[in-house]
Amino acid sequence: MSKVLLMYSNGQPSLVHVERLKRVRQDLSVAVADSEEIAVRHAADTDVILGHRYLRQVLPHVRRLKWVQSTAAGPHHLLSSDLRRVNPILTRCTVFSDVVAWHAFTLALSLLRRIPEAVKAQQQGVWAHSPFDMLPFPQTAMIFGVGCIGRELAMILRKNGLAVLGVTRKYSPEADAVCDELFCANNSWFEHLHRADLCFITLPLTKSTSRFFDETVLRALPRHAVLVNVGRGGVVDTDALVSILQEGHLGGAALDVVDPAPSSSSDPVWSVPRLLITPKVAVFHPEYQKKLEAFIENQVIRYLRGETLLDIISVDKLAGDR
Amino acid sequence: MSKVLLMYSNGQPSLVHVERLKRVRQDLSVAVADSEEIAVRHAADTDVILGHRYLRQVLPHVRRLKWVQSTAAGPHHLLSSDLRRVNPILTRCTVFSDVVAWHAFTLALSLLRRIPEAVKAQQQGVWAHSPFDMLPFPQTAMIFGVGCIGRELAMILRKNGLAVLGVTRKYSPEADAVCDELFCANNSWFEHLHRADLCFITLPLTKSTSRFFDETVLRALPRHAVLVNVGRGGVVDTDALVSILQEGHLGGAALDVVDPAPSSSSDPVWSVPRLLITPKVAVFHPEYQKKLEAFIENQVIRYLRGETLLDIISVDKLAGDR
């Protein structure tokens, strides 16, 4: 008998999904946690955790956990001493890389064409050209993090005529294949920041990427550059970004992730000029829930059959990336 | 001695531009009209009109007008009995076709990814997923008007993986080359409206395109379709569009042109759900004024040398397009 505990980050699992999981094997017990309390109560006899919503709280109490299926493409932020001690199989989910890449490209274009200014003028019922200081059409994009999302984004940018400079921790032929220039594990990327008309962040959150985009890095971007973060909020020093935008540096910035989250509706991050925020929706599309659930059902079938899981990313790898 | 009258629609000509025009030939007189009154006062002895801002008001008073350089790519809306009577050489300006096409694509992507909803949530200081019912990634786009802008747009869409259905008044090999399917001068396009995930309008305003997008056409688009108009406002029945959006039909619509212009800040066009308005800025980019002025200076040099002008579109052609 195995027990599976569901704790998805974006809404509850559908009933048919839970039913389908129960039917995978007769002796499979399926529990859904919609609160931390319920998650912790199921911890002790859970073999498999699907989703990572209450993972940090649950881990101290697990006794037979063998596998964690994260819903993220970059689950590095889940690394903890408990995760290293328990050391389950860890799998991620790369099904939505193209959706996130398209969201990132849309954010950049929206800033270039001043769509947020148009929405604000529209809300005031004002028909006026004046606030529309459009940005030049970009020639060169820099992508920090050339994993599954970064590579999708590189392909979109190149087919639209941009040159792509990739920055990655470690050389990979897959990353090399989609970038015009690839910078690895050294600081030479810094000297190329001034070339970036667009700068995309798709990095996971690790010790070495935390607040990586600090004031020095942000200031090294061209004055007209557009910055887009669809990776992890903690990679950007939000306070530094806000003050740099207030000073008039950067053509614009878009954040789909903000960490720490804005403390209140009066947080300056909401109102600083040329900053566009989408509330962690880059992964969303009409088929999101359906595709996520189909992917996870397939993974559970593989697991119970003893087949190799897809998208394995070992806990050791997360620790190594620090 | 020749007299040139400048009356641009988007802001005043730069001083260097006026100086450069004066230096093209010593006996050239250059006047700038920044009001209807001034324009009319110069009408009688003007040989060349650059820009079309007060053209309708000036035409009854011209006596030696030989050439009108419009700043529009589709100047069909300038057709009048006065223009036919005077029958000057008419030239248009297609320099910004790619800029307009990129604006149109950006508008479509912004609607697909619900950027206007994000801006509104941001203005309220709200971090919430809930209003983000993203639209499916489009497979098929329909472009009404496969002129210089429509063709640029078709190329952008196709390199991003969309199938393009073009609708044009009259077959042209240039249009055929950039569309997967081309519909000409008949009504078969109507039966294909249901295939359009995206529907772009780049049509000029003529008798036959006026209110072409009426309730019947708009309702024949799929419920999830996104409509984008970067052509002329009069091509769309705005009232019909507003009520259709209010009913929940169409995934979204974006208008860079609205005709008649919204009467006040309480006009329902400003606040109807899923409608994004940009105030006729599709043509704008940081080099707009510079490129426009360089193009026009080149045209004036050609004219005074007796060379063939670029981008000629005869008044007869406008009349024929009716």
Side-chain angles (χ1 to χ4, degrees), chain A residues 113 122-123 275 277 284, chain B residues 113 122-123 160 275 277 284:
Chain A
R113 300 304 303 171
Q122 182 177 349
Q123 285 198 291
L275 181 62
I277 293 180
F284 285 5
Chain B
R113 300 304 303 172
Q122 182 178 349
Q123 285 199 290
N160 285 292
L275 181 62
I277 294 181
F284 285 4

Side-chain angles (χ1 to χ4, degrees), chain B residues 56 58-63 65 79-88 315-316:
Chain B
R56 189 176 50 80
V58 164
L59 279 175
H61 310 288
V62 299
R63 288 195 212 147
L65 181 68
L79 185 63
S80 65
S81 53
D82 279 328
L83 191 69
R84 295 184 73 164
R85 177 180 52 76
V86 176
N87 200 28
V315 175
D316 286 347

Side-chain angles (χ1 to χ4, degrees), chain B residues 234-249:
Chain B
V235 173
V236 174
D237 181 340
T238 311
D239 293 341
L241 177 63
V242 166
S243 41
I244 275 172
L245 286 166
Q246 265 157 351
E247 286 170 27
H249 194 73

Side-chain angles (χ1 to χ4, degrees), chain A residues 15-220:
Chain A
L15 289 178
V16 286
H17 175 54
V18 175
E19 285 309 310
R20 275 195 295 259
L21 287 174
K22 282 180 181 166
R23 284 202 304 266
V24 172
R25 210 171 68 189
Q26 228 178 351
D27 66 345
L28 193 68
S29 159
V30 178
V32 177
D34 53 9
S35 73
E36 179 182 330
E37 194 196 336
I38 294 174
V40 170
R41 201 187 307 152
H42 284 288
D45 60 345
T46 282
D47 302 90
V48 171
I49 291 177
L50 304 176
H52 58 244
R53 184 153 188 198
Y54 308 108
L55 186 63
R56 188 176 50 81
Q57 296 92 324
V58 164
L59 279 175
H61 309 288
V62 300
R63 288 194 211 149
R64 40 189 267 194
L65 181 68
K66 288 171 208 75
W67 167 37
V68 174
Q69 169 69 55
S70 167
T71 52
H76 298 63
H77 59 295
L78 301 177
L79 185 63
S80 65
S81 54
D82 279 327
L83 192 69
R84 296 183 72 166
R85 178 179 52 76
V86 176
N87 199 29
I89 301 168
L90 179 63
T91 51
R92 57 184 187 151
C93 177
T94 62
V95 173
F96 304 108
S97 303
D98 59 335
V99 178
V100 176
W102 268 103
H103 192 76
F105 188 46
T106 302
L107 290 173
L109 290 175
S110 296
L111 289 168
L112 293 172
R113 300 304 303 171
R114 298 298 186 208
I115 303 299
E117 281 68 22
V119 174
K120 289 169 199 168
Q122 182 177 349
Q123 285 198 291
Q124 288 164 25
V126 174
W127 183 276
H129 292 159
S130 47
F132 292 87
D133 58 327
M134 302 293 185
L135 292 163
F137 195 83
Q139 310 281 310
T140 304
M142 210 156 174
I143 304 180
F144 285 80
V146 198
C148 50
I149 295 166
R151 291 195 299 273
E152 287 284 344
L153 182 55
M155 289 187 284
I156 293 170
L157 294 168
R158 287 177 85 185
K159 70 188 169 194
N160 285 292
L162 281 89
V164 172
L165 318 183
V167 182
T168 179
R169 201 180 52 82
K170 208 175 130 189
Y171 175 86
S172 82
E174 295 86 1
D176 198 36
V178 294
C179 294
D180 295 281
E181 299 174 44
L182 186 62
F183 303 100
C184 312
N186 59 48
N187 285 323
S188 70
W189 57 266
F190 188 86
E191 295 147 38
H192 296 273
L193 280 172
H194 72 96
R195 298 166 62 191
D197 301 316
L198 305 181
C199 179
F200 292 98
I201 306 171
T202 71
L203 292 166
L205 184 62
T206 67
K207 259 188 189 166
S208 57
T209 67
S210 179
R211 301 284 177 272
F212 182 87
F213 279 79
D214 59 10
E215 194 185 324
T216 310
V217 173
L218 292 169
R219 280 198 196 283

Side-chain angles (χ1 to χ4, degrees), chain A residues 9-10 99 102-103 105-107 109-110 113-129 132 134-137 156 159-161 255-258 261-262 264-266 269-272 275-286, chain B residues 9-10 99 102-103 105-107 109-110 113-129 132 134-137 156 159-161 255-258 261-262 264-266 269-272 275-286:
Chain A
S9 301
N10 293 320
V99 178
W102 268 103
H103 192 76
F105 188 46
T106 302
L107 290 173
L109 290 175
S110 296
R113 300 304 303 171
R114 298 298 186 208
I115 303 299
E117 281 68 22
V119 174
K120 289 169 199 168
Q122 182 177 349
Q123 285 198 291
Q124 288 164 25
V126 174
W127 183 276
H129 292 159
F132 292 87
M134 302 293 185
L135 292 163
F137 195 83
I156 293 170
K159 70 188 169 194
N160 285 292
L255 304 176
D256 187 61
V257 282
V258 181
S264 75
S265 62
S266 60
V269 79
W270 293 119
S271 55
V272 66
L275 181 62
L276 169 60
I277 293 180
T278 58
K280 210 164 189 310
V281 297
V283 83
F284 285 5
H285 71 131
Chain B
S9 301
N10 294 320
V99 179
W102 269 103
H103 192 76
F105 188 47
T106 301
L107 289 173
L109 289 175
S110 295
R113 300 304 303 172
R114 299 297 187 209
I115 302 299
E117 280 68 22
V119 175
K120 290 169 197 166
Q122 182 178 349
Q123 285 199 290
Q124 289 165 25
V126 174
W127 183 275
H129 292 158
F132 292 88
M134 302 292 184
L135 292 162
F137 196 83
I156 293 170
K159 68 187 168 194
N160 285 292
L255 304 176
D256 188 61
V257 283
V258 182
S264 75
S265 62
S266 60
V269 78
W270 292 119
S271 55
V272 65
L275 181 62
L276 168 61
I277 294 181
T278 60
K280 210 164 188 314
V281 297
V283 84
F284 285 4
H285 70 133

